[in-house]
Amino acid sequence: MYVDVCRSDDLADGEVLRFEPDGLDEALAVCKSDGEFFAVSDKCSHGNWSLSEGFLENCHIECVLHGSAFDLKTGWPDKLPATKPVKVFDTRVRDGVVSVDISSGKAREKPGS
């Protein structure tokens, strides 16, 4: 089930916003990186900290608490101390509106496995 988040021009490249959709018991970090939109669980799998407060670069989001970084395409960390992925949600842009499929959240397959 897709839920509208924002207009595509409301989010500049490199920006993250926290989104709390109705019908989902977790917040999402909605990001624009390298011209693409992504959505992941907002809580770091290591420190239970809000990823939307983190740094976004090259399709990765870094948690400001301990420095773990997560690939926005897979959810898997590529920087310790996190070892578990965060959920990744499908996104789409239609008529200038960014939407997230809140029923699609899952950890993707670990790269290289």
Side-chain angles (χ1 to χ4, degrees):
M1 176 173 79
Y2 277 92
V3 176
D4 294 346
V5 177
C6 65
R7 298 218 30 91
S8 59
D9 55 2
D10 289 341
L11 203 57
D13 207 70
E15 285 189 330
V16 182
L17 67 84
R18 186 172 204 262
F19 178 64
E20 298 180 39
D22 291 336
L24 193 64
D25 58 354
E26 64 182 312
L28 304 178
V30 179
C31 317
K32 184 176 183 183
S33 183
D34 295 342
E36 293 183 71
F37 290 92
F38 301 94
V40 296
S41 297
D42 189 44
K43 287 194 179 180
C44 175
S45 64
H46 169 260
N48 201 27
W49 196 262
S50 175
L51 290 176
S52 60
E53 295 178 20
F55 305 105
L56 185 63
E57 187 174 32
N58 299 324
C59 294
H60 288 79
I61 190 163
E62 183 175 318
C63 179
V64 295
L65 187 61
H66 294 116
S68 292
F70 299 87
D71 185 315
L72 293 171
K73 295 177 182 178
T74 66
W76 281 91
D78 56 8
K79 190 173 172 189
L80 295 173
T83 58
K84 296 179 183 174
V86 294
K87 291 180 193 172
V88 176
F89 294 79
D90 295 332
T91 61
R92 72 178 181 200
V93 179
R94 285 195 179 162
D95 298 322
V97 176
V98 179
S99 303
V100 175
D101 182 354
I102 61 171
S103 64
S104 68
K106 63 182 175 183
R108 306 285 192 224
E109 188 173 315
K110 188 173 184 175
S113 56

